Amino acid sequence: MPDTRESALRGDCAQCFGLCCVALPFAKSADFAVDKSAGDPCRNLQDDFRCGIHTRLRPSGFQGCTVYDCFGAGQRVSQVTFGGVSWREAPETARQMYEVFPVMRQLHELLRYLTEALERPAARRLHGELRTALGRVEALTALPAAELEKLDVGPVRAEVNPLLLRTSELVRTTAGGKPRGRRGADLIGKRLRGARLRGMDLRGALLIAADLTDADLTLADLIGADLRDADLSGAVLTGALFLTQPQLNSARGDAKTVLPEGFDRPAHWTAS
Ligand code: SF4
């Protein structure tokens, strides 16, 4: 069975054939210094599949690379689906490997959320259904490459999403008060300094460049929320639901930001 421990659902570049640096296209923008087509290796990818500018991605104009996480799909495709044989060693497998990678990423993202849901005591009554869904998604990740490349993840998402929504409701209820929602809200650039967003449903909310300084986001559902350049300085994110490290990496914050357990403080956040 695939390993769904937290470490297996985070990118491990040392075990990957640089798949995100080859398979995905970039458009020249504030996030990427160059254009790149899908299937072309990034000019900074070294022969050992390491990034040649890993320690200076932001100043070099590759901020987009610091906010990307494959949820462990890269190492899974490299080491399991393709048995540790890279696209350089077997160029005839390259096209299929690049097709499989984004499919596996979607499956691993679902595994990441289901695993988190199973760790929430407030959702205990759903744990049976969550385990069943986890098992189904795990089984899909073990399919051979020829089946994975054709897999439509849409129906799998449709099965998992209601479970995640019910988990969210159960967990957010514990924040006190009536659960409130701003799902998918356009909050770009909004001044939400010190806002009480405790237990709020912010699924898919656009919080780009929002001022969330000192906001209380305890137990808020942040699945898919766009936090690029949002200011989380002094904000409290204790118990925030379905938050990912790439979301945090894309935001700003400081030494006072209270992170949920298991998250790293992004290096670019000020130490003040
Ligand atoms: S800059 Fe580095 S991390 Fe980003 S795509 Fe290129 S090799 Fe990969």
Side-chain angles (χ1 to χ4, degrees), residues 102 137 156 175 213 218 261:
V137 180
V156 188
T213 309
T218 302
E261 207 176 318

Side-chain angles (χ1 to χ4, degrees), residues 20-21 26 32 36 42-46 50-54 57 62 65:
C20 63
C21 312
F26 308 157
F32 296 105
K36 185 188 92 55
C42 171
R43 67 185 186 187
N44 298 314
L45 186 67
Q46 301 179 148
R50 301 293 180 108
C51 172
I53 59 166
H54 178 66
L57 283 165
F62 286 85
C65 303

Side-chain angles (χ1 to χ4, degrees), residues 141-155:
T141 66
L143 289 172
E147 291 181 50
L148 277 167
E149 72 173 326
K150 291 189 211 129
L151 184 71
D152 179 3
V153 184

Side-chain angles (χ1 to χ4, degrees), residues 46-116:
Q46 301 179 148
D47 289 347
D48 61 358
F49 302 113
R50 301 293 180 108
C51 172
I53 59 166
H54 178 66
T55 56
R56 47 195 165 84
L57 283 165
R58 281 180 174 262
S60 303
F62 286 85
Q63 178 173 320
C65 303
T66 68
V67 302
Y68 181 82
D69 191 342
C70 68
F71 300 103
Q75 67 256 31
R76 172 101 182 150
V77 171
S78 299
Q79 302 303 331
V80 181
T81 314
F82 286 85
V85 180
S86 76
W87 48 269
R88 283 204 173 107
E89 295 165 281
E92 69 279 8
T93 65
R95 184 208 58 78
Q96 190 174 52
M97 201 178 290
Y98 305 156
E99 295 288 329
V100 166
F101 172 60
V103 174
M104 187 69 83
R105 184 182 183 272
Q106 292 182 70
L107 294 174
H108 267 233
E109 186 181 12
L110 292 176
L111 289 178
R112 156 74 177 71
Y113 295 141
L114 287 166
T115 302
E116 177 180 334

Side-chain angles (χ1 to χ4, degrees), residues 216-243:
D216 181 3
L217 288 152
T218 302
L219 292 169
D221 184 344
L222 290 166
I223 196 168
D226 194 336
L227 291 167
R228 282 177 292 167
D229 287 325
D231 192 350
L232 293 168
S233 299
V236 178
L237 291 149
T238 307
L241 273 152
F242 305 129
L243 179 69

